[in-house]
Amino acid sequence: MTTSNHRPYTYPPGRIDIPSGTGREGAVKYTDHAIGHLLQGRAGATVKDTVFVITADHGASATGSSHIPVDRYRIPVSCTRPRTCRRRRVDR
């Protein structure tokens, strides 16, 4: 996903209706498409007994700095085991 979410925002052609390399909007849409593809088991993964953990590695303002001030970020994480877990939200 790093390839699509950082300049030059490239991703495989024909997956979404925004051409590769045209900006962040396409990168976000492709990321959503790719994650959905994976979670629905169409990416070749066997999802029945798989736990998925999806998170970000930094916020937009980190811009490649070597130190990320963790106390200033709220980085989301999503954990799911699609066929066996109830969905719920936890804010801590």
Side-chain angles (χ1 to χ4, degrees):
M1 300 316 298
T2 297
T3 303
S4 62
N5 283 322
H6 292 81
R7 283 184 199 96
Y9 305 113
T10 57
Y11 39 86
R15 307 290 167 90
I16 62 168
D17 59 357
I18 300 172
S20 176
T22 58
R24 186 168 283 166
E25 183 179 347
V28 170
K29 188 169 186 176
Y30 174 73
T31 299
D32 186 60
H33 162 80
I35 291 171
H37 192 79
L38 176 68
L39 293 178
Q40 292 172 14
R42 295 189 309 232
T46 303
V47 299
K48 186 174 95 175
D49 295 318
T50 303
V51 175
F52 294 94
V53 178
I54 300 169
T55 189
D57 60 350
H58 61 77
S61 63
T63 61
S65 63
S66 60
H67 175 70
I68 297 175
V70 177
D71 59 323
R72 294 192 349 218
Y73 288 88
R74 301 271 185 217
I75 299 174
V77 62
S78 175
C79 302
T80 186
R81 188 172 178 201
R83 298 179 195 236
T84 59
C85 291
R86 292 185 334 263
R87 292 181 183 211
R88 65 188 174 111
R89 180 179 174 140
V90 178
D91 292 311
R92 291 189 210 181

